Amino acid sequence: GVFARLARGQRPRYLLVGCSDSRVSVSNVMGMEPGEVFSTRNLGNLVVNSDMNRMAVMQYAVEYLRVEHVIVCGHYGCSGVKAAMENQSLGFLDSWLSSLRAVRRRHEKPIFSKHASPKTRFEKICEANVADQVLNVVHNPIVQAAWARGQPLAVHGWVYNLANGRIVNLDVSMNAPRDVGPVHRLAFGGGEEG
């Protein structure tokens, strides 16, 4: 049965990097059974290299579980993104939200010039956040070291639509060092690019 299978250990092919929002569950998003997806979640699905919990999960998933796919999955209606767009002081959360506010600053001019609707602007900032977090994943030494070892690993960006339960693939997938800009490409071993 399922419990006997789970007791034998885990061999997930996927690491889901998601938001802590209670409306977004791994099983709902991916439609998979327990043991099939390793996951890590925080407010705004941020990938911040100083977040030791997220980095530990990523290292364990990539190096020990040997996942084949890292999926950064945000969602429309994200409270973290909304808070970053509103510029309201939220006390301690302001420090965490600074990364989301930076995403907004980088992307708001092109998004706001193309889209008048506040709802569309909000959705586009949610998408931009996921795309930026995908970059943060591939800029990370854990992922680049896996590629340098020849480990198959792809990084994807999705947005979950709470209104209809569907996933929007942002087509920002990366699966090799060539996908990383030269400034962020790290060298491993004998000086070869990873």
Side-chain angles (χ1 to χ4, degrees):
V2 68
F3 295 112
R5 179 180 56 83
L6 293 174
R8 285 191 297 272
Q10 59 180 332
R11 303 260 331 140
R13 294 181 53 216
Y14 306 94
L15 168 62
L16 182 78
V17 176
C19 183
S20 298
D21 192 301
S22 63
R23 300 169 294 174
V24 182
S25 74
V26 174
S27 58
N28 284 353
V29 170
M30 298 185 71
M32 295 195 164
E33 296 295 320
E36 293 183 316
V37 181
F38 203 64
S39 66
T40 175
R41 296 167 44 153
N42 66 29
L43 181 64
N45 51 273
L46 294 174
V47 178
V48 179
N49 285 334
S50 60
D51 179 353
M52 292 299 111
N53 178 58
R54 172 95 6 128
M55 293 303 107
V57 169
M58 193 178 314
Q59 182 176 10
Y60 186 75
V62 171
E63 292 182 16
Y64 298 98
L65 295 175
R66 314 269 305 172
V67 297
E68 298 169 21
H69 301 273
V70 176
I71 300 162
V72 177
C73 186
H75 64 96
Y76 297 128
C78 178
S79 301
V81 172
K82 186 174 189 288
M85 290 181 71
E86 292 177 346
N87 274 343
Q88 288 285 352
S89 177
L90 298 172
F92 180 77
L93 285 174
D94 289 334
S95 175
W96 185 256
L97 292 173
S98 67
S99 294
L100 282 169
R101 289 185 176 124
V103 170
R104 186 200 71 208
R105 274 192 309 279
R106 276 192 299 280
H107 298 283
E108 73 182 342
K109 188 174 183 178
I111 288 172
F112 286 24
S113 68
K114 291 180 187 171
H115 305 283
S117 158
K119 179 180 184 282
T120 303
R121 288 176 173 180
F122 181 26
E123 289 175 348
K124 294 297 180 185
I125 294 291
C126 289
E127 292 173 1
N129 179 48
V130 168
D132 278 12
Q133 303 318 309
V134 166
L135 289 175
N136 289 344
V137 170
V138 300
H139 293 165
N140 190 283
I142 296 164
V143 169
Q144 291 192 35
W147 287 339
R149 290 189 303 272
Q151 180 178 339
L153 183 65
V155 182
H156 314 280
W158 296 352
V159 178
Y160 182 66
N161 188 331
L162 292 168
N164 63 20
R166 294 188 183 182
I167 291 172
V168 176
N169 183 344
L170 298 180
D171 294 320
V172 294
S173 296
M174 298 183 195
N175 61 12
R178 70 180 174 279
D179 296 331
V180 179
V183 170
H184 296 284
R185 200 173 305 139
L186 303 174
F188 293 88
E192 297 176 23
E193 287 185 348

